[in-house]
Amino acid sequence: MNRLFENTGNSSFMEFAGSYVRELPPRRDEMPVTPMGDRLPHATTIIAATYDGGVVMAGDRRATSGNVISQRDMEKVFRTDDYSCMGIAGTASTGIEMARLYRVELEHYEKMEGRTLSVAGKANRLASMIRGNLAMAMQGLVVVPLFVAYDPDKDEGRIFGYDVAGGPYERDRFDAIGSGSIFARGSLKKLYRDGASADEMVMTLIQALYDAADDDSATGGPDVTRKIWPIVSVIDADGFRKLTDQQVAGYVAEMLDARLISPDGPIAPLR
């Protein structure tokens, strides 16, 4: 075995791979780009919110190419390690690649150092990967993730948002990205409650995603006929868990039943 792989001397998988074979992974500032505009599939709305002891992330399933629905069942929320996950908005292929590389980056660090990164360290590692995509972003291949993690030191969930140059920016209580984010965030402002349980927060995010789909054509609502449901993941002291389709379908059915009576959803009390 090549001794290069026995002791890399570097806890970053990205830097190790680049030093061994320059083209793996490719340097984005050296990749030729043909402007594609809206022809490439784009991921849309991702939302996240903290609750008492953890954090929930949810995403719709629609991908669009301009005014065309290019995929109805795309997954946009990815587990990155046992206590974190990220959702992507923007150019779908770039975002999926970034999520996969980031997961390997965290695994490589843990193997090399014998410990996991802190939550802030994880957020900063992702920021450096986003910064590495800046040249591509300036040419239209933009991807902006949302990162969430459970922090065992604080016994709470944390949320980090980014811009195309990296960031990161820690968000308080909740955040949303993507084309429907303005509507989802407005819904969360009214529905979010401090001290909510995980079950209550999952329903809150289901409601917010539905509100986003109600006003944003690029955001897909639950597809009852095809049985395509939002992706919902919960992270707490027990680790990451993704809700099953059957579990999410139960929340959606409860939400839709209530909206037959009140189409605009629950009304936030003024007092």
Side-chain angles (χ1 to χ4, degrees), residues 196-216:
S197 66
D199 180 70
E200 292 169 330
M201 197 52 63
V202 169
M203 178 56 79
T204 298
L205 295 196
I206 294 292
Q207 295 277 8
L209 273 180
Y210 192 89
D211 286 334
D214 202 29
D215 288 300
D216 175 46

Side-chain angles (χ1 to χ4, degrees), residues 164-211:
V164 293
Y169 312 104
E170 186 163 5
R171 308 303 191 188
D172 182 42
R173 303 166 76 201
F174 59 82
D175 197 19
I177 59 173
S179 62
S181 61
I182 185 172
F183 306 111
R185 196 177 293 114
S187 179
L188 286 170
K189 283 183 178 180
K190 305 300 184 294
L191 300 179
Y192 184 91
R193 294 289 180 271
D194 291 319
S197 66
D199 180 70
E200 292 169 330
M201 197 52 63
V202 169
M203 178 56 79
T204 298
L205 295 196
I206 294 292
Q207 295 277 8
L209 273 180
Y210 192 89
D211 286 334

Side-chain angles (χ1 to χ4, degrees), residues 17-188:
S19 64
Y20 184 62
V21 179
R22 186 173 174 79
E23 292 76 24
L24 293 175
R27 289 184 46 169
R28 297 194 177 280
D29 56 349
E30 297 176 352
M31 293 176 64
V33 176
T34 301
M36 298 291 288
D38 290 333
R39 286 179 288 169
L40 289 174
H42 280 66
T44 49
T45 307
I46 302 292
I47 57 179
T50 59
Y51 65 92
D52 191 16
V55 61
V56 181
M57 175 176 280
D60 79 309
R61 305 293 296 277
R62 178 173 293 177
T64 59
S65 299
N67 65 325
V68 176
I69 298 174
S70 57
Q71 188 170 344
R72 301 179 186 276
D73 60 350
M74 179 182 173
E75 296 208 17
K76 309 171 188 177
V77 177
F78 303 90
R79 173 188 175 276
T80 49
D81 69 6
D82 290 340
Y83 293 94
S84 68
C85 71
M86 64 180 280
I88 58 168
T91 306
S93 57
T94 306
I96 293 170
E97 177 195 25
M98 183 178 293
R100 290 171 177 170
L101 284 173
Y102 181 59
R103 179 171 179 172
V104 175
E105 178 80 359
L106 295 184
E107 290 176 351
H108 181 76
Y109 179 91
E110 185 173 351
K111 290 176 181 177
M112 294 302 301
E113 300 294 330
R115 60 184 177 86
T116 59
L117 276 166
S118 66
V119 172
K122 294 175 185 178
N124 289 330
R125 282 289 173 110
L126 182 55
S128 66
M129 294 183 67
I130 300 168
R131 198 171 301 116
N133 189 58
L134 183 58
M136 296 285 280
M138 294 298 100
Q139 299 180 70
L141 302 184
V142 180
V143 57
V144 179
L146 189 64
F147 176 71
V148 301
Y150 170 75
D151 190 336
D153 296 329
K154 297 183 177 182
D155 188 29
E156 65 183 19
R158 298 173 68 180
I159 303 171
F160 294 87
Y162 299 84
D163 55 29
V164 293
Y169 312 104
E170 186 163 5
R171 308 303 191 188
D172 182 42
R173 303 166 76 201
F174 59 82
D175 197 19
I177 59 173
S179 62
S181 61
I182 185 172
F183 306 111
R185 196 177 293 114
S187 179
L188 286 170

Side-chain angles (χ1 to χ4, degrees), residues 242-259:
K242 177 183 173 183
L243 270 60
T244 66
D245 282 346
Q246 291 76 15
Q247 289 174 313
V248 178
Y251 287 100
V252 170
E254 181 181 345
M255 182 266 297
L256 291 177
D257 287 344
R259 293 210 176 217

Side-chain angles (χ1 to χ4, degrees), residues 193 268-271:
R193 294 289 180 271
L270 294 178
R271 294 182 181 274

